[in-house]
Amino acid sequence: MEFSFSNSQKMIQKEVRRFAQEELAPQYSRWDREKQYPRELLRKMGSLGFIGTSVSQENGGLGESYITEGIICEEIARGDCSLPMATHVAGHLCAGLLEHGSQEVRDAFLAPLLAGEMIPAFCLTEPGSGTDAVAMQTSAEKKGAAYILNGEKSGITAIMDADVSLVFAKTDPAAGAKGVSCFVVPRNLPGVTMQGYEDLGCNAVVRGSLFLENVEIPASYLIGEEGTGFKMAMRGFDISRILLCLEAISPALVSLEETMAHVKKRVAFGRPLATFEGVSFPIVEHLSLLEAVRLLCYKALWLRDQGRSSSKEAGMVKWMAPRFATNAIRDCMLLHGHYGYTKEYPLEQRLRDVLAIEIADGTSQVSKLVVQREVMGREFLPYNYR
Ligand SMILES: Cc1cc2nc3c(=O)[nH]c(=O)nc-3n(C[C@H](O)[C@H](O)[C@H](O)COP(=O)(O)OP(=O)(O)OC[C@H]3O[C@@H](n4cnc5c(N)ncnc54)[C@H](O)[C@@H]3O)c2cc1C
């Protein structure tokens, strides 16, 4: 058993940490206030190889391990924990789908995505279906050498900035999960419109809805085979959920580091706050839980690097990491006294941003259902697989 990163992973960790400290952290609050997606930095991240690091070299990526991808997500989130929500959707969920596309699709969309030149959106959720994603209504009908798409997607990360959307739609409504296919839909086509939301957090990455009205795309924009979309989405989630969890843990750990520095300096009743057990024990408890879940995240990524399943571990961390991280950041705010409640400190923003991770990529409940399926068997799930 080996618990340390390789030398090259340590170098990448150091480089991304420096980048996050110098280029992301100082602007974290401004991007939130101005609801501004930092496109320039995205290009820089692309040029440094921080987007889609695990995409194979033949498809233009670096062919790095999932563990290395996890390190990058974790370190970026130390500086800004809302931005990687979009960069890992791009570099993992969307890039992973585009890898199954035709050469034409890979040339047109995957290369610019990895370079940080093109922002993609992953469009699965609909107004009437989220957890039960197979109940989607969006349709794709084949007409000669084209597909015609109709429907509405909702809650989509970065949709207002997205140049291209990866849209899941039914090609065979009677076939349940096996009737779902995935398509590339460029933003500038007739019939494509978007509407943004006012969210609690992650404001730099504006979420919103995508409307498709008789949108015609070439048949070559189908990803993989018809009917394989849902399976590809779920395979992507198995890893993306773990990356998302590292993006929750990381800002909580930074908050705890800042809080330890604060309580060592701040004096009450003639002693540093850190000497009171009521102050130090919550910090220790949060550090213990977060360290345990962080290790489980890396074990899950390691399993995937070995070509083994990580569904159980991904489900386990997905319910624990954002919950534990939110609890930790909340206590860090309280341990800063009234200062913690101001916008002068990044704590309130981190709390708003990390809360999103409890819902995105599947809620706690659906994550526990995944674990239940893995440990007890599919026949004990509360619903039937269609
Ligand atoms: C910040 C953020 C970013 C997002 N980004 C994207 C994106 O980029 N692309 C995309 O497609 N979607 C995105 N989503 C949507 C997200 O995937 C869905 O919100 C999520 O899957 C839950 O679906 P829902 O909102 O429809 O809730 P519902 O499915 O209506 O669930 C409501 C509640 O009921 C619970 N519930 C549902 N079924 C069960 C069950 N069987 N047992 C127990 N409890 C159950 C849920 O856990 C939840 O608490 C994002 C959401 C957020 C908040």
Side-chain angles (χ1 to χ4, degrees):
M1 202 177 275
E2 173 63 73
F3 277 106
S4 60
F5 296 137
S6 69
N7 284 338
S8 76
Q9 285 168 334
K10 283 182 196 157
M11 276 168 59
I12 291 171
Q13 184 185 37
K14 204 168 150 195
E15 190 190 339
V16 188
R17 185 169 296 198
R18 187 198 54 73
F19 175 82
Q21 267 164 4
E22 290 175 7
E23 312 238 11
L24 303 181
Q27 313 207 61
Y28 176 50
S29 157
R30 182 169 69 79
W31 290 327
D32 180 69
R33 277 195 316 276
E34 296 176 3
K35 299 186 179 4
Q36 190 193 343
Y37 194 100
R39 272 196 183 247
E40 268 318 300
L41 270 167
L42 195 71
R43 285 193 193 99
K44 197 158 185 186
M45 286 165 72
S47 70
L48 290 166
F50 296 169
I51 301 174
T53 320
S54 65
V55 170
S56 66
Q57 288 181 348
E58 61 171 343
N59 282 332
L62 297 177
E64 288 283 355
S65 65
Y66 293 126
I67 290 193
T68 303
E69 196 163 17
I71 293 170
I72 292 173
C73 288
E74 190 180 21
E75 292 304 327
I76 289 172
R78 280 182 72 92
D80 181 330
C81 55
S82 69
L83 193 57
M85 290 272 290
T87 53
H88 104 249
V89 164
H92 189 77
L93 280 178
C94 295
L97 288 167
L98 288 169
E99 279 198 280
H100 296 281
S102 61
Q103 189 62 49
E104 176 196 350
V105 161
R106 279 180 280 156
D107 289 346
F109 301 104
L110 185 53
L113 182 156
L114 295 176
E117 300 283 346
M118 184 179 269
I119 298 175
F122 178 90
C123 306
L124 182 68
T125 307
E126 298 190 358
S129 59
T131 306
D132 184 10
V134 176
M136 70 178 66
Q137 297 291 313
T138 298
S139 64
E141 209 182 318
K142 186 126 192 239
K143 283 230 168 103
Y147 281 95
I148 312 293
L149 270 67
N150 278 289
E152 179 182 342
K153 295 288 171 182
S154 59
I156 309 301
T157 297
I159 192 69
M160 298 312 286
D161 291 284
D163 306 297
V164 65
S165 294
L166 277 294
V167 174
F168 294 86
K170 290 252 171 93
T171 38
D172 182 357
K178 290 189 176 134
V180 175
S181 306
C182 180
F183 300 90
V184 184
V185 181
R187 179 193 184 95
N188 52 9
L189 292 182
V192 176
T193 49
M194 291 97 166
Q195 189 178 2
Y197 302 163
E198 282 286 332
D199 271 349
L200 178 69
C202 295
N203 289 319
V205 184
V206 179
R207 269 187 335 133
S209 294
L210 172 74
F211 304 92
L212 304 163
E213 204 183 329
N214 291 321
V215 177
E216 183 174 330
I217 54 165
S220 57
Y221 281 12
L222 166 71
I223 300 285
E225 308 268 305
E226 267 194 24
T228 59
F230 192 71
K231 202 170 171 188
M232 286 191 286
M234 293 304 121
R235 209 179 291 146
F237 277 147
D238 259 2
I239 294 171
S240 117
R241 284 177 178 155
I242 306 164
L243 302 176
L244 202 50
C245 288
L246 287 167
E247 291 158 18
I249 293 169
S250 185
L253 290 175
V254 177
S255 302
L256 285 162
E257 287 164 19
E258 290 166 0
T259 303
M260 284 190 278
H262 175 76
V263 299
K264 282 183 191 171
K265 262 205 279 166
R266 177 90 177 165
V267 172
F269 305 99
R271 299 158 56 173
L273 286 178
T275 60
F276 296 106
E277 288 172 2
V279 169
S280 61
F281 281 10
I283 294 175
V284 170
E285 286 165 17
H286 291 306
L287 282 173
S288 311
L289 289 171
L290 290 167
E291 183 63 25
V293 181
R294 180 174 177 267
L295 284 176
L296 189 53
C297 287
Y298 279 111
K299 179 190 169 188
L301 293 175
W302 175 83
L303 283 169
R304 292 308 295 245
D305 282 332
Q306 308 302 308
R308 291 160 62 184
S309 166
S310 65
S311 301
K312 181 184 78 180
E313 289 76 10
M316 285 176 168
V317 295
K318 184 62 182 59
W319 79 260
M320 288 192 288
R323 181 72 52 88
F324 294 170
T326 305
N327 291 347
I329 297 171
R330 179 182 177 277
D331 274 353
C332 288
M333 270 179 65
L334 299 178
L335 289 172
H336 274 79
H338 76 88
Y339 298 108
Y341 196 62
T342 68
K343 294 199 170 189
E344 295 294 307
Y345 286 74
L347 294 162
E348 61 80 31
Q349 189 184 343
R350 287 190 198 130
L351 187 64
R352 289 187 280 115
D353 288 354
V354 168
L355 203 51
I357 300 177
E358 285 212 48
I359 308 169
D361 267 22
T363 61
S364 292
Q365 286 92 330
V366 80
S367 307
K368 287 176 193 171
L369 285 174
V370 171
V371 180
Q372 180 190 350
R373 183 192 71 204
E374 294 297 307
V375 299
M376 293 188 192
R378 201 173 281 273
E379 63 272 31
F380 293 100
L381 282 176
Y383 55 85
N384 294 321
Y385 260 142
R386 278 159 287 211

